[in-house]
Amino acid sequence: MPRPATRDRKERFVQSFGDGFGAQAVAAMVRRHGLAWLTNDQVDEIVSDTIDAAKSRARSVIRNRRIIRRALR
């Protein structure tokens, strides 16, 4: 008879598929259930990470425009 899976075993199982799989699983949960199941601290962290990523992308776009502009001179 198989032993019941503990949370630790379930977490290791999900992690065994790599970071991409875990991220996809969490994204599916958010699409399905919204953010209500997350704590306020977790939502704050998501917002902070999203803002940081957006700022980084904007800086990268600006930097790339400058590089292209210089190359086209």
Side-chain angles (χ1 to χ4, degrees), residues 52-68:
D52 290 346
K55 286 180 180 178
S56 177
R57 279 191 303 275
R59 283 191 299 271
S60 179
V61 167
I62 292 168
R63 187 172 41 251
N64 289 340
R65 284 181 185 164
R66 288 178 185 153
I67 291 168
I68 291 170

Side-chain angles (χ1 to χ4, degrees), residues 12-67:
R12 281 186 281 132
F13 173 75
V14 170
Q15 291 170 349
S16 72
F17 290 95
D19 291 338
F21 180 79
Q24 289 173 353
V26 171
M29 290 292 295
V30 169
R31 281 191 304 276
R32 199 175 306 134
H33 302 289
L35 297 176
W37 57 283
L38 297 171
T39 67
N40 290 341
D41 288 341
Q42 290 168 323
V43 172
D44 290 344
E45 186 175 349
I46 290 169
V47 169
S48 177
D49 290 349
T50 303
I51 291 169
D52 290 346
K55 286 180 180 178
S56 177
R57 279 191 303 275
R59 283 191 299 271
S60 179
V61 167
I62 292 168
R63 187 172 41 251
N64 289 340
R65 284 181 185 164
R66 288 178 185 153
I67 291 168

Side-chain angles (χ1 to χ4, degrees), residues 1-14:
M1 173 180 222
R3 57 184 186 174
T6 63
R7 181 183 174 104
D8 181 57
R9 287 184 69 205
K10 291 176 185 178
E11 287 179 7
R12 281 186 281 132
F13 173 75
V14 170

